[in-house]
Amino acid sequence: MRLDPDQVIEADYRVNPETGVLEQAPRRRSRQLRRWLAPLVLVIGVLSKAKALLAPLKLLLKGPVLGPVASAFVSVAAYAVAFGWQFAVGLVALLFVHEMGHVVVLRRFGVRATAPIFIPFLGAFIGMRQLPRDAVMEAKVGLGGPVLGSLGALAAWGMYVVTGHGLWLVLTYLGVVLNLFNLLPIPPLDGGRAVAAISRWLWVLGLLGLGVLMFRMPSPIFILIGVFAAGELINMWRRTQADPAYYRVPLAQRVAVSAVYFGLAVALGAAMVHLTPLMYAARPL
């Protein structure tokens, strides 16, 4: 009996549109990829910004060169056990590029910063020698990571176009999603720090969006984000009380930060929309 190609039979089966024969759809590994990829992006995006929790680890990784290099090797080894060494090296490279974006902007402001310290399955972080002097500086430092990180994802995309290797596609997608996620207007993510120079009402929008995500897709990770966000908002409110001028941003600076923030968010969103069907098409058989 020939079946309608448009008919949905089972989640693990499909109808071949050419023969009309019911065939098993090789989607299990694709579902497994999505199951670990999404939590990995969220964990890295959130916990890499929870620098206060990770600060004690600096004492275990002292040294301007030894600490970062050792932590990078440890992270590569940990990711390699779970996902293979090629993916591990690529992921650590993406994290390094993202964090170096913060370092580059800090150094342009004359602020010393440490090299990135990597924590397996938590991401990476840098240490600043002094706090930002105003909301504009904080926004620029925050946007430095996603800007340079997006260029890193673009480089991986170029490698995929040249080689056609699926690993580069996965790294490109991961880089795009990771940097887009970091642009969410929720502290302590980069986007939460950037929108402080645009309008702090965007924090409310971010929290409302987080609430919708928690309702639609209940997950401990979203609760974790909410806990970190609450702590950061309390700190920012205290800063406002202690230094009201901190968040007084000239219009020209507000427009410039808005252009970079929203332009980058739109570009990354468009990239994710373009890459998603490619990820499905390239799923392992």
Side-chain angles (χ1 to χ4, degrees), residues 116-152:
I117 296 293
F118 300 90
I119 309 298
F121 300 103
L122 298 183
F125 68 97
I126 61 170
M128 296 185 296
R129 302 304 183 187
Q130 67 185 65
L131 295 175
R133 60 175 177 262
D134 54 37
V136 174
M137 178 179 172
E138 184 173 3
K140 291 181 179 180
V141 172
L143 287 173
V147 169
L148 197 60
S150 298
L151 293 179

Side-chain angles (χ1 to χ4, degrees), residues 75-100:
S75 288
V76 168
Y79 292 129
V81 171
F83 311 117
W85 71 268
Q86 293 174 310
F87 175 85
V89 172
L91 175 58
V92 171
L94 288 174
L95 292 173
F96 175 80
V97 172
H98 178 99
E99 294 300 324
M100 285 304 296

Side-chain angles (χ1 to χ4, degrees), residues 203-215:
W203 289 341
V204 177
L205 181 62
L207 290 174
L208 289 176
L210 179 62
V212 172
L213 287 175
M214 293 175 64
F215 178 77

Side-chain angles (χ1 to χ4, degrees), residues 11 26 34 37 39 51 133 137 155 162 170 176 222 228 236 279:
R34 294 196 299 274
L37 187 59
K51 300 178 179 64
R133 60 175 177 262
M137 178 179 172
V162 172
V170 173
V176 167
F222 293 135
F228 287 145
M236 290 177 173
M279 287 285 290

Side-chain angles (χ1 to χ4, degrees), residues 12-117:
D12 291 333
Y13 291 83
R14 66 184 178 190
V15 177
N16 189 313
E18 297 180 357
T19 64
V21 177
L22 185 65
E23 298 177 347
Q24 186 173 6
R27 300 180 59 184
R28 178 169 302 181
R29 294 170 68 181
S30 176
R31 289 197 301 272
Q32 291 175 346
L33 175 65
R34 294 196 299 274
R35 277 200 296 268
W36 66 255
L37 187 59
L40 179 62
V41 169
L42 293 177
V43 169
I44 290 174
V46 177
L47 296 185
S48 66
K49 302 306 170 186
K51 300 178 179 64
L53 296 180
L54 301 176
L57 292 174
K58 296 180 188 178
L59 299 176
L60 302 177
L61 294 169
K62 279 190 174 182
V65 176
L66 179 60
V69 171
S71 67
F73 274 109
V74 171
S75 288
V76 168
Y79 292 129
V81 171
F83 311 117
W85 71 268
Q86 293 174 310
F87 175 85
V89 172
L91 175 58
V92 171
L94 288 174
L95 292 173
F96 175 80
V97 172
H98 178 99
E99 294 300 324
M100 285 304 296
H102 299 307
V103 173
V104 169
V105 178
L106 282 170
R107 290 181 177 174
R108 288 182 63 87
F109 279 105
V111 178
R112 293 181 59 194
T114 66
I117 296 293

Side-chain angles (χ1 to χ4, degrees), residues 92-285:
V92 171
L94 288 174
L95 292 173
F96 175 80
V97 172
H98 178 99
E99 294 300 324
M100 285 304 296
H102 299 307
V103 173
V104 169
V105 178
L106 282 170
R107 290 181 177 174
R108 288 182 63 87
F109 279 105
V111 178
R112 293 181 59 194
T114 66
I117 296 293
F118 300 90
I119 309 298
F121 300 103
L122 298 183
F125 68 97
I126 61 170
M128 296 185 296
R129 302 304 183 187
Q130 67 185 65
L131 295 175
R133 60 175 177 262
D134 54 37
V136 174
M137 178 179 172
E138 184 173 3
K140 291 181 179 180
V141 172
L143 287 173
V147 169
L148 197 60
S150 298
L151 293 179
L154 183 62
W157 197 341
M159 291 299 297
Y160 170 68
V161 171
V162 172
T163 66
H165 198 292
L167 173 66
W168 291 112
L169 177 62
V170 173
L171 290 175
T172 301
Y173 187 80
L174 184 61
V176 167
V177 174
L178 177 61
N179 286 284
L180 181 61
F181 175 76
N182 263 291
L183 286 178
L184 288 176
I186 306 173
L189 301 180
D190 296 329
R193 302 193 181 282
V195 300
I198 302 173
S199 172
R200 281 172 287 171
W201 285 105
L202 290 173
W203 289 341
V204 177
L205 181 62
L207 290 174
L208 289 176
L210 179 62
V212 172
L213 287 175
M214 293 175 64
F215 178 77
R216 297 289 299 273
M217 298 180 294
S219 170
I221 292 181
F222 293 135
I223 297 176
L224 189 63
I225 298 174
V227 171
F228 287 145
E232 287 291 318
L233 288 173
I234 291 174
N235 290 334
M236 290 177 173
W237 179 81
R238 290 174 177 172
R239 178 185 295 169
T240 302
Q241 301 301 310
D243 184 11
Y246 186 90
Y247 291 107
R248 292 174 187 166
V249 180
L251 179 60
Q253 296 279 14
R254 195 184 305 271
V255 171
V257 172
S258 299
V260 175
Y261 176 78
F262 290 109
L264 185 59
V266 170
L268 288 173
M272 188 176 70
V273 170
H274 177 77
L275 290 169
T276 298
L278 294 179
M279 287 285 290
Y280 278 105
R283 65 183 182 268
L285 299 177

